[in-house]
Amino acid sequence: QVHLVESGGGLVQAGGSLRLSCATSGIMFSISDMGWYRQAPGKQRELVARIGSGGSTNYADSVKGRFIVSRDNAKNTVYLQMNGLKVEDTAVYYCETKYGLREYWGQGTQVTVSS
């Protein structure tokens, strides 16, 4: 059974940093592409960052230069280091992967950035 569990969210002041983690089980993590998405109230879920199985990364324009996605294949975990946080980064953050013919999501972790 596939599980994705996010952690590391919280309340932070603008300009601060947080590191999100997504621990996975039930997938062959080392060959899986992983994504971080976010959804703010009243808005559609949007891609924040992706990391391929080989370590290639891509980012939404809004977070380039501030966020870093990484992975630890030994721990089956993907990370999102968020620096220079802005109020507009406030959202629920989800990790995601496609495995087999299905797409899987974690339960999300809330990130709130105060001004």
Side-chain angles (χ1 to χ4, degrees):
Q1 202 166 10
V2 177
H3 291 286
L4 283 66
V5 180
E6 301 96 336
S7 61
L11 174 63
V12 64
Q13 286 191 329
S17 298
L18 284 173
R19 189 175 84 150
L20 305 183
S21 301
C22 174
T24 73
S25 61
I27 63 172
M28 295 181 70
F29 181 81
S30 62
I31 62 169
S32 298
D33 297 342
M34 301 297 300
W36 283 101
Y37 288 74
R38 67 186 181 188
Q39 188 166 19
K43 295 188 176 181
Q44 288 191 328
R45 193 171 296 190
E46 63 175 358
L47 175 68
V48 175
R50 293 195 64 83
I51 183 164
S53 58
S56 61
T57 59
N58 62 283
Y59 298 90
D61 287 344
S62 58
V63 307
K64 279 181 183 175
R66 300 188 297 122
F67 290 10
I68 301 171
V69 61
S70 62
R71 63 192 297 154
D72 185 337
N73 289 343
K75 295 183 178 180
N76 295 336
T77 299
V78 61
Y79 303 97
L80 186 67
Q81 178 66 43
M82 306 186 295
N83 303 318
L85 282 161
K86 303 176 180 180
V87 171
E88 51 264 41
D89 294 318
T90 295
V92 178
Y93 285 71
Y94 300 89
C95 67
E96 173 269 353
T97 192
K98 296 178 180 64
Y99 191 68
L101 299 177
R102 290 186 58 181
E103 186 173 37
Y104 295 90
W105 296 87
Q107 83 289 350
T109 186
Q110 175 71 47
V111 172
T112 302
V113 185
S114 63
S115 58

